[in-house]
Amino acid sequence: MALIVQKYGGSSVGTIDRIRNVASRIKRTRDEGNQVVAVVSAMGGVTDKLIAMAREFGDNPAEREMDVLLSTGEQQSIALLSMALHELGVPALSVTGRQAGIRTTGSHTRGRIDAINSDYMLGCLNAGNSLVVAGFQGITNDGLIHTLGRGGSDLTAIAVASAIGADVCQILTDVDGVYTCDPRVVPNARKLPEISYDEMLELASSGAKVMQSRSVEFAKKYGVVFEVRSSLNDNPGTMVLEEHPDMENVVIRGVSIERSQARVTIIGIPDEPGMSARILSALGDAEINIDMIISNIASDGYARHSFTMHANDLGRAQAALKPVLAEISDQAKVETEAGIAKLSCVGIGMRTHSGVAATMFKALGEAGINIGMISTSEIKIAVTVDETRIEDAARAVHEAFHLDEAPV
Ligand code: ADP
Ligand code: ASP
Ligand code: MG
């Protein structure tokens, strides 16, 4: 008998029929002699609808209330899935984040899981129940509700699997696994049999929404091996685990895209120590995630910094920078550009191969796509391009590295 955690995302529980499909999968897993803990998201589109309703009351609704509101989406789906299981004669209990003992720290709407007291879950399992746990939510030491950032049910599943010592952790979704690129963008993308945590993390944090990046970070830290597979068929999925010598020997494992990016450039910064720290601290204090950073000295002797961020953060970034720039120099000014997107190539093989950037840039050049900013890390090369060309860019680069073909 194995203890299995199965996470079902929003599209997998998006309709009553889909909920029935999930219930029968859970029943089948149970009938095969396993204990099942299902972690579920809100029904597809529900979280977005709740956010839209909140925005009726202004652009910046109180985050404490957002958490109270958004956590209701998952509460609906755990109750409905438990009812669907009862219909099949399966003893099942819905479990909220609080009941699951999921303790969080950090800020409202982007809480971090700090600890899980799994006594209640283990007691219910030992009494013969299957559990249906609400993803995306936890509770602070002070009893406040936190949500875990968009896509946060992935994190719940991995953290619960770690806390209860599950034998298997499956992330069941609307694709068969992790592909070399989003199959909705590159139709001939190939499903990967396995991928290392580091590659999955880089892809997820550069826009591959198939896994929430923080969940992958957590899995790596606690050594939770998991499988991404479909909730609609029984095809084998993709194993996500620590890299090992028998992994497919490729230079590039995959390509990801991230839309709705914006570039902020600050010009007229005095070329003196401490300036970058002041600018970046202002953005950090405003909890704005910046990504690519480029800094150089212009011909007027002043420094200029450019960085990318999500376009939604542009207004907050301008507000956060205004007072600092006024203090720094009367020459300092902010320029912004939206409508850009980011394309990233990821692979642990890059550590030992050269020429990857050249192949990527050549493919983009031949497709007539202009490159904006460039950044590299040990296993990633990322560029910005005009958002209207991002899909062409992904297809061109996917083709240039022959990612549709299995390596020999
Ligand atoms: P869920 O609701 O199950 O959490 P998501 O919508 O969050 O599912 O994630 C699944 C989606 O991720 C897929 O439908 C696919 O379009 C997208 N995706 C992006 N990049 C990839 C990739 N490399 N491999 C597979 N799917 C990807
Ligand atoms: N319902 C949340 C969201 O839409 C969490 C999740 O689906 O994982 O972001
Ligand atoms: Mg998701």
Side-chain angles (χ1 to χ4, degrees):
M1 183 176 73
L3 175 54
I4 302 186
V5 170
Q6 294 184 329
K7 180 255 167 178
Y8 292 95
S11 53
S12 302
V13 293
T15 62
I16 294 299
D17 279 349
R18 289 276 176 99
I19 290 177
R20 285 208 167 96
N21 165 61
V22 168
S24 53
R25 286 188 78 107
I26 294 173
K27 179 175 190 306
R28 193 178 60 182
T29 310
R30 199 183 145 96
D31 290 346
E32 286 161 3
N34 304 299
Q35 282 182 307
V36 184
V37 176
V39 173
V40 290
S41 294
M43 294 171 78
V46 165
T47 307
D48 288 335
K49 275 197 198 120
L50 293 171
I51 292 172
M53 280 197 268
R55 296 239 162 96
E56 292 289 327
F57 301 100
D59 285 344
N60 289 313
E63 291 191 324
R64 180 186 183 284
E65 307 313 328
M66 280 308 271
D67 277 348
V68 172
L69 180 68
L70 297 192
S71 61
T72 62
E74 272 65 16
Q75 225 155 295
Q76 294 174 5
S77 50
I78 57 172
L80 292 170
L81 177 55
S82 302
M83 291 170 192
L85 284 160
H86 299 163
E87 191 179 58
L88 299 178
V90 174
L93 293 173
S94 63
V95 181
T96 64
R98 174 198 293 263
Q99 291 165 339
I102 299 175
R103 289 272 160 210
T104 58
T105 55
S107 311
H108 278 298
T109 74
R110 45 195 175 275
R112 298 185 161 271
I113 297 182
D114 194 26
I116 298 187
N117 178 344
S118 43
D119 293 351
Y120 178 74
M121 285 191 284
L122 293 175
C124 295
L125 277 172
N126 291 338
N129 298 290
S130 289
L131 304 186
V132 184
V133 178
F136 182 52
Q137 56 177 261
I139 190 156
T140 67
N141 272 333
D142 300 329
L144 298 172
I145 297 175
H146 263 173
T147 58
L148 309 177
R150 296 308 305 266
S153 302
D154 295 335
L155 176 59
T156 306
I158 288 182
V160 164
S162 172
I164 64 176
D167 301 296
V168 176
C169 178
Q170 298 173 330
I171 306 291
L172 294 122
T173 180
D174 60 355
V175 272
D176 282 8
V178 180
Y179 280 69
T180 47
C181 188
D182 186 340
R184 291 180 209 275
V185 175
V186 179
N188 67 347
R190 183 176 69 94
K191 182 172 64 181
L192 296 164
E194 50 183 14
I195 183 169
S196 70
Y197 290 129
D198 288 343
E199 291 165 320
M200 189 68 248
L201 187 54
E202 288 282 12
L203 287 173
S205 54
S206 347
K209 133 176 209 259
V210 62
M211 287 301 300
Q212 188 215 32
S213 62
R214 282 165 55 193
S215 71
V216 184
E217 220 176 306
F218 193 103
K220 177 177 164 73
K221 184 164 172 194
Y222 294 99
V224 180
V225 172
F226 63 95
E227 183 186 15
V228 179
R229 57 188 295 164
S230 170
S231 66
L232 299 169
N233 62 45
D234 290 326
N235 298 341
T238 303
M239 297 304 299
V240 186
L241 70 180
E242 203 57 77
E243 73 180 88
H244 62 84
D246 296 333
M247 262 183 181
E248 282 182 348
N249 187 10
V250 293
V251 181
I252 301 297
R253 188 83 58 199
V255 171
S256 62
I257 66 174
E258 197 165 14
R259 300 170 208 264
S260 305
Q261 300 294 295
R263 177 167 64 183
V264 171
T265 301
I266 304 171
I267 58 171
I269 308 167
D271 186 17
E272 291 163 17
M275 291 296 154
S276 308
R278 282 169 73 177
I279 292 169
L280 293 186
S281 307
L283 295 170
D285 291 346
E287 299 198 51
I288 294 166
N289 276 328
I290 57 169
D291 184 21
M292 298 170 160
I293 306 180
I294 289 178
S295 156
N296 52 32
I297 307 290
S299 54
D300 57 9
Y302 283 102
R304 57 163 56 212
H305 286 345
S306 295
F307 20 78
T308 58
M309 61 184 61
H310 196 278
N312 288 348
D313 289 338
L314 214 45
R316 283 197 303 131
Q318 280 169 309
L321 287 169
K322 208 171 164 193
V324 193
L325 297 191
E327 266 172 47
I328 286 180
S329 139
D330 53 8
Q331 298 294 311
K333 341 206 257 243
V334 182
E335 290 170 354
T336 59
E337 183 194 351
I340 60 179
K342 195 175 66 175
L343 175 76
S344 308
C345 275
V346 172
I348 46 180
M350 265 189 235
R351 289 185 194 135
T352 47
H353 283 74
S354 53
V356 174
T359 306
M360 182 178 179
F361 298 169
K362 185 163 173 264
L364 293 171
E366 284 171 0
I369 297 166
N370 207 30
I371 297 173
M373 293 167 80
I374 300 171
S375 79
T376 61
S377 75
E378 200 188 15
I379 64 165
K380 179 170 84 175
I381 301 177
V383 298
T384 61
V385 302
D386 194 289
E387 189 159 11
T388 57
R389 299 301 311 276
I390 188 64
E391 297 205 355
D392 296 332
R395 288 189 278 264
V397 169
H398 194 271
E399 174 87 41
F401 288 106
H402 307 288
L403 296 184
D404 56 324
E405 296 162 22
V408 281

